[in-house]
Structure formats: structure tokens, C-alpha cells
Amino acid sequence: MKMLLKSSSFSSFLMAGQSVSALSLFSAEELEFIAEDETIEIIPNLRMEPLNLLCGDFGPFFPQIPTQVPLWLAVALKKRGKCTIRPPEWMAVEKLTQVLEAERDSQEMSEQLPFHYVEISRLLFDLARDDIPDVYMVRSLIEDIRDVRFHKVETDLEAFNGRTVAVKIKNLSAMEVNIVRPFIGRALQAFYKHDSPELIPDPERVSDRRQQVATTAPRRQLRR
Amino acid sequence: MASNPMDSSTLPTDDYETLISTTDVELLKRAWRNEKAAPEILQFETDLIQRIREQILLMDETVEEFTSSGIDPLTVSLYQMDLDRSQFLLRSYLRIRIQKIEKYMFHIESTDELWNRLSREEKNFARRCTDDLKRHLDETVLSKLPDNYQSVQKQSVISEDDDMVPKPQLDTFVVCRSKEYLTGIQLEDGPVDDRSKLFEMEPGVLYFICYKSIKALVESGKIDLV
């Protein structure tokens, strides 16, 4: 969580009420656990028989022959010096520069990064930095992208109002969802509650059927 | 989990999802996420859990065999990690359900639909929990109150419904994703013919939505909670 908290005012306003971790559905570790099932390409430097694991079959492994494995397996081999990890295409400087531009140019969230881009890149920065070309540049680009995206989510949130019953959140990443979830969840729930006629005792409305039909008009009118 | 933009351009999301989610572990992960995100207890995945248990047992034996037959320790440790990951998922899945049962035991016990969602072991557990708690509340408090106030379920005899029983909040907002294009989701409790309140979901796109409106779709497996 640490990495995320320093990023913007956004996370700090979420902190105002209760701690983020207490409200988030998934802990940072659980999100990482989920992301570790994403596949990634490795270049082994050992020979190893195929692995018939519960989560799928992988290998056989031959030196210098690239193969696809889940991230956790790649990291385990990497830690023991048994492979190099080929960073995913989206982690190239050129690609990330494009993404950053796209993110800056439009209020829409770009769809060019994978759902778990924050977790995947963090794992690779921590454990396979020597396999990432231009690692400093890549890292700072990803941080910038994350900040720009958070800022956009923040502005999107301002557009919420009492009429909001469902929100489409196109291309939000796993970490972003987890961070905004407690806030959006509570906000929408509050709107929903204040909007439910059965929860607001209003004798006038109950006694007059026609009035009830009119309640589909903007909610503000109810406040008269 | 269809996250790679390269793939989503060549394959429709739902095909891609079925393609990669063929292992039971993947199915368990989906069940785990749904259970974690849903405010109420969901149907126990009897068959899936049975299969996963067998696979875990079998793999546990295999790993032991490997260790004793001198297979290279790196391979053994990789199998062990895979085993640990599956066991974590299974434990976490069962634990979330137990937490929900503890929280809503009286409500679950008195609602047939919910009661039937529990596994045999969970039913035993829930029965023991409710019995213990009832006895405890009776002995410590309720038996000392006036006759009209002795129910575990109701504040007093004039209460119309069980107002002392905690129930899950079904109007909680959840994040979800549909596998296919869905239309005609009713967002509020209004009349169905009011088209303006019907909502459609595109496949693969995330939505924040009131759990109540998509409850049936989660139960039928059309929508995944995230």
C-alpha cells in the first residue's frame, strides 16, 4: 500500500474517514497474489522436466528457449538465478510514453495497460530489475501514468450525483478499483439510501399517488 | 482476468476467459472472489471443492514422494509453492464463509434459501453456533427480562419481524464484470416497464452497481464480482 499512498491527494482524502486497508476488499498482498497468476515469458538457463501443477502444465524448460509461465513461477526461478524474465511489451519505454500521452490527452482511461499493471510492474521492479531495460525510465513513466490516472478517477468522482445508480468504470485497473471501492461504494450507498422513498417518511407523497409518479423528476424537487 | 490488450483484440473476452479458466484452481479463484465481494453467503461450490480437495491431497502425496525419491529440490519447491497457493485459496474461501455464517447465523438459520446454500459441515457449524449463542443469551440476559422481551429474534413480542437479527445489506455496492452482453438489468425496485431504469452491461467492462440488482446474475454465474 505504501507505494500508492504517497501518490496523490486522492488517496489521502480516502484516508480521512477510516484506514484504507480496513475497508478494502482485497489486501495489497491478496491483489499481488491474484496478479501472480498472470503469464509472463521467461528464458530459462536450466533444463527441467515439465511441471504438471494444480494451476496448469508448464515447461519443459530448456536453456535459452523462451517459455510462458505464471508470474509467481517466473519470480521463484528468477530468485534462484535460474532464468531471466522478459518484461511484457507494455513495459517498454516507447510504449509507456505513448500510454502516458494518451492518458494525458483524454479524460477516458486508456485500455492499453493490463488490469494488474501496478502489481506486475512492482513485482518486476522488486525482483527482476536487471531484466528491465531502462528500468529507471520505465519506473518513472509508470508512476506518472498512475498519477494521471488517479487524477482522472478523482475528477470523474465529482460528476457523481443522486441520480447515479450504477457507474461504468471502463479500463480501471485492479489496484485502482480496490482504492476507490470503499469511497464509491459508500457514496453510492448513501445516495441510494437518501433516494429510496420508503426510507424517507414523507406523508404528502404517501397520501398522493400522482405525486409519487412525479418523483422520477430530478431529486432536488423533493427538498422544497 | 482478461487483461492483456493484445489478446482481447483477437479473441472476444468471454472466449478468452473460458480458454484460460479451465483449471479448477481458476474456478476456485473466481468462487473466492465472488464470495469475498458478495455481502451475503453464496451457494457452496460442493463439486468444485470436492475436486480441489482431492487434487490437493494427491499433490501433497506427490510432493512427499518427490522429496523421498531425491528429485531435484528446485522442482520440489516449485510443486510445493503451487500447492501452497491452492491451499491458501481453499482456506481463504472456507474462512470467508465461516465469517459470514458467524455474522448472520440467525438470519441464515431462519431463511431456507440461505440455509440450503451451506455445506453439510457448515450446517453443523451454524447449528452449534446458534445453539451456543442462544443458550448464552438466555442464561445471561434474556431469562432475566420480562416475559415479552425474552426472544433472541425479536426486541419484544410486538415486533413484526425479526428485528434483533443481523442481516446482510443487499443494497451494498459491488464492483462486477459481465462475461457476456447483458440487457434489461433492473436497477431499482420500480415497475419493469420503465425502460429508463433498465441497464445494460457490456462484456468485460467494470461496473459499480447495487448488489441487489445483479444478485440473480451473480448466482447464475453470468456476472463475476471483482
Side-chain angles (χ1 to χ4, degrees):
Chain A
M1 239 31 208
K2 201 172 35 179
M3 190 168 91
L4 290 161
L5 291 183
K6 67 169 189 209
S7 68
S8 71
S9 59
F10 179 53
S11 2
S12 57
F13 90 74
L14 287 176
M15 293 292 286
Q18 273 164 291
S19 86
V20 168
S21 62
L23 282 163
S24 303
L25 193 52
F26 295 96
S27 67
E29 291 80 6
E30 283 170 334
L31 276 188
E32 197 174 285
F33 175 86
I34 297 170
E36 280 172 345
D37 282 330
E38 297 291 308
T39 44
I40 195 159
E41 193 164 88
I42 59 163
I43 302 151
N45 57 23
L46 83 169
R47 262 193 87 104
M48 191 163 59
E49 295 291 304
L51 300 169
N52 306 308
L53 304 174
L54 294 172
C55 67
D57 299 334
F58 303 97
F61 302 87
F62 301 105
Q64 306 314 317
I65 310 289
T67 183
Q68 305 272 335
V69 293
L71 194 51
W72 66 264
L73 190 60
V75 164
L77 288 172
K78 174 75 188 171
K79 273 184 184 164
R80 291 164 179 78
K82 302 295 184 196
C83 75
T84 52
I85 292 178
R86 209 174 253 185
E89 280 172 43
W90 57 265
M91 272 183 81
V93 170
E94 201 179 318
K95 178 76 187 169
L96 289 172
T97 316
Q98 275 174 25
V99 174
L100 182 58
E101 267 168 36
E103 294 284 4
R104 281 193 176 135
D105 284 351
S106 156
Q107 179 61 26
E108 295 251 313
M109 304 291 264
S110 114
E111 52 171 11
Q112 304 184 64
L113 294 181
F115 189 54
H116 291 289
Y117 82 96
V118 176
E119 302 91 307
I120 296 174
S121 59
R122 185 163 50 169
L123 271 167
L124 295 183
F125 291 143
D126 285 353
L127 300 157
R129 48 175 35 249
D130 52 327
D131 293 340
I132 307 168
D134 311 308
V135 62
Y136 288 104
M137 192 63 187
V138 168
R139 188 171 195 147
S140 97
L141 278 167
I142 289 186
E143 269 168 25
D144 288 351
I145 290 171
R146 216 187 45 210
D147 288 350
V148 175
R149 288 174 61 96
F150 274 139
H151 182 74
K152 286 200 278 194
V153 180
E154 223 175 297
T155 17
D156 279 349
L157 291 185
E158 287 167 15
F160 277 25
N161 61 49
R163 309 277 299 163
T164 313
V165 277
V167 182
K168 183 165 154 181
I169 37 175
K170 215 166 181 171
N171 304 324
L172 215 57
S173 82
M175 198 65 107
E176 289 154 1
V177 169
N178 213 43
I179 287 194
V180 298
R181 184 191 334 255
F183 174 76
I184 299 190
R186 274 188 305 176
L188 289 180
Q189 205 170 350
F191 282 139
Y192 185 84
K193 242 181 217 159
H194 297 304
D195 254 5
S196 308
E198 72 268 24
L199 294 176
I200 310 167
D202 185 342
E204 209 185 330
R205 191 147 35 96
V206 175
S207 62
D208 185 354
R209 286 298 296 173
R210 268 182 308 136
Q211 193 81 30
Q212 200 159 9
V213 177
T215 54
T216 42
R219 312 289 171 174
R220 291 283 172 210
Q221 290 189 0
L222 289 176
R223 300 188 127 196
R224 272 171 299 167
Chain B
M1 304 295 310
S3 50
N4 194 327
M6 275 49 109
D7 291 302
S8 55
S9 59
T10 51
L11 279 170
T13 324
D14 46 347
D15 284 6
Y16 179 66
E17 289 250 2
T18 23
L19 216 86
I20 58 159
S21 64
T22 42
T23 65
D24 282 339
V25 174
E26 193 61 38
L27 295 176
L28 175 61
K29 196 157 88 172
R30 182 175 290 170
W32 171 68
R33 291 166 73 137
N34 282 345
E35 194 67 67
K36 240 173 129 60
E40 61 175 347
I41 197 154
L42 301 175
Q43 176 63 47
F44 184 73
E45 300 275 352
T46 317
D47 297 340
L48 175 63
I49 297 303
Q50 175 68 22
R51 292 200 303 271
I52 288 277
R53 280 205 163 120
E54 282 164 12
Q55 288 174 23
I56 286 180
L57 275 177
L58 200 70
M59 187 56 89
D60 199 37
E61 284 168 23
T62 315
V63 170
E64 258 175 50
E65 258 172 51
F66 281 169
T67 324
S68 53
S69 65
I71 297 236
D72 117 74
L74 174 67
T75 309
V76 179
S77 76
L78 295 174
Y79 275 97
Q80 184 66 50
M81 283 177 78
D82 174 54
L83 185 60
D84 290 345
R85 289 176 67 83
S86 309
Q87 280 184 313
F88 165 78
L89 272 184
L90 178 61
R91 289 197 188 109
S92 183
Y93 173 75
L94 297 174
R95 201 172 285 151
I96 301 159
R97 294 182 58 90
I98 288 185
Q99 281 165 359
K100 286 186 186 171
I101 294 173
E102 284 182 334
K103 207 163 165 191
Y104 306 120
M105 52 184 149
F106 289 120
H107 178 61
I108 293 176
E109 195 199 24
S110 60
T111 317
D112 282 343
E113 194 200 342
L114 296 177
W115 182 253
N116 291 328
R117 290 180 183 180
L118 306 191
S119 71
R120 200 158 39 96
E121 291 83 358
E122 286 170 343
K123 282 180 185 162
N124 285 338
F125 173 75
R127 230 176 259 127
R128 285 213 311 277
C129 272
T130 46
D131 287 350
D132 288 350
L133 192 62
K134 264 184 212 152
R135 192 174 332 111
H136 173 69
L137 289 172
D138 273 337
E139 284 169 9
T140 50
V141 185
L142 295 173
S143 62
K144 299 176 176 69
L145 294 177
D147 286 351
N148 288 350
Y149 299 91
Q150 290 195 350
S151 162
V152 176
Q153 272 89 10
K154 298 178 197 297
Q155 282 199 49
S156 77
V157 283
I158 57 160
S159 299
E160 277 170 22
D161 29 60
D162 296 346
D163 49 4
M164 290 300 278
V165 174
K167 297 182 182 111
Q169 261 192 309
L170 299 186
D171 53 6
T172 309
F173 277 78
V174 292
V175 186
C176 66
R177 178 164 35 196
S178 165
K179 285 168 218 168
E180 54 196 272
Y181 192 84
L182 296 173
T183 50
I185 300 170
Q186 210 188 338
L187 285 179
E188 285 169 82
D189 301 329
V192 190
D193 52 290
D194 185 352
R195 305 301 301 177
S196 67
K197 283 181 183 172
L198 292 183
F199 184 72
E200 46 193 51
M201 282 180 81
E202 295 167 41
V205 176
L206 295 172
Y207 294 89
F208 263 102
I209 197 166
C210 184
Y211 176 74
K212 209 157 60 176
S213 340
I214 52 149
K215 186 169 137 62
L217 293 160
V218 173
E219 284 159 9
S220 65
K222 288 214 165 90
I223 289 185
D224 278 333
L225 301 180
V226 180

